[in-house]
């Protein structure tokens, strides 16, 4: 249990085992091991121990090769996707959002100014709606999906509705998300591969 080895710890463990053995003996004398409820619990414990033993044996017998680990890591890196740099203007009503889009269509360079004037997002309003770099999976699903569909330098031609209101989004740039190093996720990746092999 993570305790340092000492004479006292060993004595305490031995005392506990002796007491447990004596108590089990008394329970058997009383026939408690024959009751349905206790028998079921014993069987469940037996099954759990056997399942754990099988899994440990499977893991020892099916070590994950470096090639498999590297291949899975490359697949993981490919699945990460991009992060985006974007601005948005958040308004309460669809009509307001459509009005903003109409103004942007006449003057695409006015996004920052319009965000400062119209956006109700107090965190980004003063920065011209600038959201900085973000992973779209961390945004409202509708917002993240809309950003991924936009080309660099383009804004949404229809309002994007989320629980916050109506957004007009300008996608400024994108770049591949940086994956954590293999060393950092090696243990978790190994476990995932072993679990998939077990199923």
């Amino acid at each position: 249990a993570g305790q340092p080895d000492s004479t006292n710890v060993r004595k305490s463990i031995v005392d506990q085992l002796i007491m447990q053995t004596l108590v089990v003996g008394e329970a058997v004398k009383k026939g408690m091991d024959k009751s349905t409820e206790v028998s079921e619990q014993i069987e469940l414990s037996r099954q759990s121990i056997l399942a754990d033993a099988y899994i440990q044996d499977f893991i020892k017998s099916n070590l994950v090769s470096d090639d498999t680990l590297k291949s899975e890591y490359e697949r993981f890196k490919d699945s990460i996707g991009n992060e985006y740099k974007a601005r948005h203007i958040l308004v309460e009503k669809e009509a307001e959002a459509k009005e903003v889009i109409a103004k942007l269509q006449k003057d695409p360079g006015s996004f920052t100014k319009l965000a400062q004037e119209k956006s109700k997002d107090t965190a980004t309003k003063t920065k011209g709606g600038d959201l900085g770099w973000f992973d779209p999976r961390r945004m409202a699903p509708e917002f993240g999906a809309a950003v991924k569909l936009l080309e660099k330098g383009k804004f949404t031609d229809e309002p994007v509705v989320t629980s916050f209101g109506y957004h007009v989004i300008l996608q400024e740039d994108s770049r591949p998300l940086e994956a954590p190093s293999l060393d950092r996720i090696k243990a978790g990746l190994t476990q995932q591969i072993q679990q998939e092999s077990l199923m």
Side-chain angles (χ1 to χ4, degrees), residues 5-75:
D5 190 10
S6 70
T7 308
N8 286 342
V9 169
R10 284 174 177 257
K11 183 181 183 312
S12 172
I13 291 169
V14 169
D15 287 347
Q16 284 175 7
L17 288 171
I18 290 169
M19 179 58 73
Q20 183 175 301
T21 303
L22 290 171
V23 170
V24 167
E26 289 302 310
V28 169
K29 277 185 197 172
K30 287 189 158 196
M32 292 178 169
D33 59 324
K34 305 285 190 261
S35 82
T36 305
E37 186 180 334
V38 174
S39 295
E40 286 172 356
Q41 288 177 18
I42 291 169
E43 181 55 27
L44 284 173
S45 295
R46 179 180 167 279
Q47 288 177 17
S48 177
I49 291 165
L50 283 170
D52 287 346
Y54 178 83
I55 290 167
Q56 292 309 315
D57 179 65
F58 181 88
I59 289 169
K60 283 180 197 168
S61 307
N62 294 277
L63 297 175
V64 177
S65 71
D66 286 345
D67 287 344
T68 302
L69 198 55
K70 283 177 187 166
S71 173
E72 190 63 27
Y73 178 65
E74 289 306 316
R75 200 163 66 92

Side-chain angles (χ1 to χ4, degrees), residues 100-120:
V100 167
I101 290 167
K103 286 181 180 180
L104 285 170
Q105 286 168 341
K106 288 178 187 169
D107 182 9
S110 64
F111 199 98
T112 301
K113 183 173 174 271
L114 283 169
Q116 290 168 340
E117 291 172 3
K118 306 272 186 189
S119 186
K120 70 171 195 166

Side-chain angles (χ1 to χ4, degrees), residues 177-192:
L177 272 165
E178 194 173 322
S181 69
L182 176 56
D183 287 342
R184 199 167 131 213
I185 62 167
K186 188 174 184 177
L189 208 52
T190 301
Q191 188 176 21
Q192 179 187 316

